[in-house]
Amino acid sequence: MAEVTRVPLQPIAKGSLAKLWLGVAAAVLLAAGIAWAAVPQGVDVEEVRAGTGPTAQVGDVVFVKYTGKLADGTVFDQSQSLPLPPGLLPDGNPFPIEEGATIPGFEQGLQQMQKGGKYVLEIPSELAYGDEPPPGSGIPAGADLVFDMEVTEIMSREDFQRRVAMVQQMMQQQQMQEGAPQPGQ
């Protein structure tokens, strides 16, 4: 049978064990610091005017008046009034709260807002467009975004879809009336 070479164990010098544990603790703290720095920052929602009622949830549709700006104040986007008769849909642009409907930071921010509230939403690049902004958007790669927002309404997806169906029906009726011959012609 083969013989294994033995290595004699030496006694540990006084204080070496404490130094070893300090080194392990320093390595753990360094690793935790590196991991924390690598985690993307979340969105920052500053309340300018308090809203009322519940906050928006996944599955809701939020109507928002907004101005999108870069960190230096350059405006890159702004909400537009919908070309519809008043009263059918609330003021502002509709944003469904669901994955993929908008940039992740906008979706996260909307879920912290209430109807009637005014907010400033700051979105870090990692939760916006990152290094690949939409072509022609005026947003540079790696840009953090700031939105001045007013939530005008929060409604369920079902209510939103019902209202959109009503608008479509009204538009179809209007088109049919415009296409039909008028009496006396």
Side-chain angles (χ1 to χ4, degrees), residues 109-148:
L110 287 174
Q111 292 181 61
Q112 299 177 43
M113 299 178 184
Q114 296 174 294
K115 177 183 173 182
K118 285 191 174 187
Y119 305 90
V120 175
L121 173 62
E122 296 181 17
I123 304 174
S125 173
E126 300 84 24
L127 296 174
Y129 296 106
D131 292 331
E132 298 180 20
S137 66
I139 303 171
D144 296 339
L145 306 179
V146 179
F147 290 90
D148 294 327

Side-chain angles (χ1 to χ4, degrees), residues 52-102:
T52 58
T55 57
Q57 303 295 314
V58 172
D60 288 341
V61 176
V62 182
F63 285 80
V64 180
K65 293 180 183 179
Y66 70 91
T67 300
K69 301 181 283 188
L70 302 175
D72 68 2
T74 304
V75 174
F76 66 84
D77 192 15
Q78 203 164 341
S79 58
Q80 304 291 322
S81 295
L82 298 174
L84 299 172
L88 295 175
L89 290 172
D91 285 340
N93 291 79
F95 289 95
I97 299 186
E98 59 187 37
E99 190 174 330
T102 185

Side-chain angles (χ1 to χ4, degrees), residues 152-168:
T152 59
E153 184 65 72
I154 299 173
M155 66 176 62
S156 69
R157 174 173 293 288
E158 294 78 22
D159 188 20
F160 175 72
Q161 289 174 336
R162 182 181 57 77
R163 290 180 187 211
V164 168
M166 286 174 34
V167 168
Q168 290 172 337

Side-chain angles (χ1 to χ4, degrees), residues 8-33:
L9 294 176
Q10 299 292 325
I12 298 176
K14 190 173 186 178
S16 294
L17 192 55
K19 290 176 187 175
L20 176 66
W21 281 112
L22 285 174
V24 168
V28 168
L29 288 174
L30 178 64

